[in-house]
Amino acid sequence: MQQKSNGSDGGKKNSTDLPQNLTLFQIFTLFFFRFGLHAWGGSVAQIALLKTELVQKRRWITIARFNRVYAVYQMLPGPEAAEICMFFGCLVGGRWGGIVAGLGFILPGFVAMVVLSYLYTIAGLDNVYFNASFRALQPVVAAMVLRAVFQIGQHAFISSKTKAFNKVLFILAILGALQSALRINYFITLGVFGIFYNFYSRGWRWAAGAVMLLNYTGYILYVVFKGVPSPTALALGIATVPDMPHLLALGLVAGSLSFGGAYTSIPFIQAEAVILGGWLAKQTFLDGIALGNIIPAPLVIFSTFVGFQGGHTYGEGSLGYAFGGCALITLGMFLPCFIFTIMGHSLLERICRNETMASFFDGITGSVVGIIAITALDILKASVVHLPKPGVVLDGEGWLLLAAQNTLSAVIFVMAFIVLNSVRHQYLSVLLIVVAAIAGQFLFV
C-alpha cells in the first residue's frame, strides 16, 4: 500500500509514493545493503545516491522537499548523509525507523574501520613496507583536507538569510585562522564568532564590535600576564587520557561541533588526541584519515580508528580496550546527529529558520573554515617534512636520502591537489589512496 499525498502531515509532508508497511528489519536492510555498503566517494556522492534512489526512482518525497531537507541538515553538525538516511527512516518507520536506518547506513563503514584498525595494529609501525605506503598516503590526506577548505567555503560564506556571498563570513574565516595561529582555544573562537555574527546580522554593530574587542583584549591580557599560549591551549582537555569515558566525551564534543561537514571534526580531535593528550602520533592520525577515505562510510568514521588506537594504548595492547574505545568514540560522534534527527524534522526546520539560531550557526561555520585551513597547513607540514627519529644520528648520505624523500612527499602533495581540483569522479578519493599506497612501495622502500 502506498501513500499518495501532498498534504501537510508533519514529517510526511510532500510525500508522493511513501511505503506504509515497512518493518524495522526491512528499513535496516534497505539502508544497510543499498546505501551503507555503497557509501563511497564522500558526502556528495552519498547524498546523490540517496536522492537518485529514494526521490527520483522511488518517489518517497518530491525533489523540492528533498532540497529543503538537505538545506536544514547542512546547517546542523554531523554527517549530512547519515542524517538524511535517518530522516527517510523516520518517514517510513517513525523514530525507531530513523534509528535503524541510521544504524544500517553507518554499520558497514564502522565494521570496515574496526577491521582496518586491527590490521593496522597487527602490521606494526616498524614494518618498512607498511610505513612506505603510509608515507605516500599522508601527503594525499593533506591535499584532501586543504581541498575541503575550498569545498566547505563554497557554502559556509553564503548567508542563510540572504542566500548570497557574505564578505563578513569570509572575514570571520580569516580571523578564525588567525585565532588558531595565536593558539586561542577553538571553543572560544566558535562561541565568540557565533555571537558576533548573531549581533552583526541583527544590525547591532556596536554589540558585535564589543564582543570582538573583548575577545582580543582578553587575549592580550593573557599574553601579558601568562605569556603566549602553548599549542595545547587549542584543546579543552576532554581526552587527556584515552580511557573509555574520555573517548566517549571526545566523540560527543567532536560530533556536536562538526558544522560544515566531516572535515570540521579533524581539528578538534587532533587538538585533544595529538596536541594535548599526546597519546596519538600525528602521522598515525593522518593514517586514520587515509583509511577513512577508502571505505564506504562518512569520513567522520576516522574517529573509530582514533578510538581503537587510544583504547589500545590505554589498555597496554588490550584488544578489549581497543574495541571498547572505538565503539564509544563512534557512539559519541554519531549520537548528536541521531538526537537532532529523531527530534523531528519539522522542529529542526523551525529552529533553523529562527534568525537568532541561523545567524549563530552561520558565524560558527564561517570561523570553522579558517580553523580547518590552519589545521590543513599543519597536516601538510607533518606529511611532507619528516625528521630523524629521536636518538638517530644521520650521516651525510642519510640526510640526502631524507631530503629526497621529503621532496617526493611534496611532489605527491602537489600532484594530488591538482588532481582533486581538476577531476570529478565518485571514487576519486579511493583511487588516489590506492595509487599512493602502491607508489609508496617504489618510492620509500
Side-chain angles (χ1 to χ4, degrees):
M1 179 179 178
Q2 305 287 329
Q3 177 187 19
K4 296 185 179 292
S5 168
N6 287 301
S8 55
D9 52 338
K12 298 181 181 179
K13 182 178 179 181
N14 292 334
S15 301
T16 53
D17 286 325
L18 197 63
Q20 294 297 291
N21 299 318
L22 289 182
T23 65
L24 294 179
F25 180 73
Q26 288 174 319
I27 295 172
F28 175 82
T29 55
L30 170 63
F31 284 89
F32 182 94
F33 289 105
R34 187 67 190 93
F35 303 110
L37 289 177
H38 295 86
W40 304 94
S43 176
V44 173
Q46 293 158 8
I47 292 169
L49 177 62
L50 286 163
K51 182 177 182 180
T52 299
E53 184 67 26
L54 298 181
V55 180
Q56 295 175 339
K57 291 184 179 179
R58 304 195 186 202
R59 299 180 65 246
W60 281 16
I61 61 175
T62 64
I63 292 178
R65 176 64 172 167
F66 178 85
N67 291 338
R68 293 197 298 272
V69 169
Y70 184 36
V72 169
Y73 289 119
Q74 278 188 306
M75 293 182 62
L76 297 173
E80 295 100 333
E83 290 168 333
I84 291 175
C85 283
M86 295 176 215
F87 165 77
F88 280 116
C90 287
L91 284 184
V92 294
R95 287 185 169 85
W96 282 108
I99 291 172
V100 299
L103 290 174
F105 179 72
I106 294 165
L107 194 57
F110 172 73
V111 173
M113 182 55 88
V114 171
V115 172
L116 289 175
S117 299
Y118 175 69
L119 294 176
Y120 183 94
T121 304
I122 293 297
L125 298 178
D126 295 325
N127 184 293
V128 61
Y129 300 102
F130 181 83
N131 278 334
S133 286
F134 278 96
R135 174 71 189 270
L137 288 177
Q138 289 166 7
V140 176
V141 170
M144 290 176 175
V145 177
L146 190 60
R147 167 62 179 157
V149 174
F150 296 96
Q151 291 177 316
I152 296 170
Q154 288 176 359
H155 67 80
F157 303 143
I158 304 300
S159 170
S160 62
K161 185 176 182 180
T162 64
K163 306 301 180 186
F165 175 81
N166 189 296
K167 62 183 180 183
V168 176
L169 292 175
F170 179 74
I171 293 172
L172 286 183
I174 297 174
L175 292 177
L178 173 64
Q179 299 233 144
S180 296
L182 293 175
R183 299 170 182 171
I184 298 176
N185 186 276
Y186 290 143
F187 302 91
I188 293 176
T189 297
L190 297 180
V192 167
F193 286 16
I195 294 171
F196 167 85
Y197 191 71
N198 177 272
F199 288 160
Y200 184 90
S201 63
R202 292 183 171 201
W204 300 350
R205 306 298 165 84
W206 61 270
V211 168
M212 201 61 77
L213 180 63
L214 286 173
N215 173 59
Y216 288 111
T217 300
Y219 176 78
I220 292 171
L221 291 175
Y222 185 95
V223 171
V224 169
F225 291 102
K226 290 194 173 183
V228 176
S230 69
T232 59
L234 292 169
L236 278 183
I238 298 166
T240 52
V241 178
D243 58 13
M244 300 302 104
H246 285 94
L247 289 174
L248 174 62
L250 177 57
L252 282 169
V253 172
S256 299
L257 295 174
S258 56
F259 291 89
Y263 281 95
T264 59
S265 61
I266 292 175
F268 305 117
I269 294 181
Q270 178 181 261
E272 300 293 338
V274 178
I275 298 175
L276 180 57
W279 45 265
L280 190 67
K282 186 171 291 185
Q283 277 72 26
T284 304
F285 180 70
L286 295 179
D287 294 344
I289 300 174
L291 292 175
N293 276 282
I294 62 172
I295 58 177
L299 180 61
V300 293
I301 206 70
F302 83 88
S303 63
T304 302
F305 175 88
V306 173
F308 190 100
Q309 300 303 319
H312 191 265
T313 299
Y314 181 78
E316 298 180 345
S318 167
L319 288 179
Y321 275 101
F323 288 122
C326 69
L328 286 174
I329 197 172
T330 306
L331 172 64
M333 179 64 73
F334 284 98
L335 189 59
C337 67
F338 270 90
I339 292 174
F340 284 131
T341 307
I342 303 306
M343 283 168 54
H345 185 75
S346 297
L347 175 60
L348 291 178
E349 280 193 308
R350 290 196 297 271
I351 292 174
C352 291
R353 287 174 180 171
N354 180 281
E355 287 191 16
T356 299
M357 295 300 296
S359 58
F360 182 75
F361 288 153
D362 283 348
I364 289 178
T365 305
S367 63
V368 159
V369 177
I371 291 174
I372 300 174
I374 291 296
T375 303
L377 295 177
D378 182 56
I379 288 175
L380 173 58
K381 178 182 176 181
S383 66
V384 172
V385 181
H386 285 240
L387 298 174
K389 293 181 179 180
V392 176
V393 179
L394 298 179
D395 57 15
E397 185 178 344
W399 279 108
L400 285 174
L401 177 61
L402 184 62
Q405 291 179 336
N406 287 345
T407 302
L408 286 173
S409 295
V411 171
I412 292 172
F413 166 78
V414 172
M415 293 177 63
F417 190 72
I418 291 173
V419 171
L420 287 167
N421 283 278
S422 58
V423 178
R424 296 291 179 268
H425 192 280
Q426 179 179 352
Y427 302 112
L428 179 60
S429 297
V430 179
L431 292 172
L432 280 175
I433 294 293
V434 171
V435 170
I438 296 172
Q441 297 301 307
F442 295 94
L443 298 175
F444 298 112
V445 171

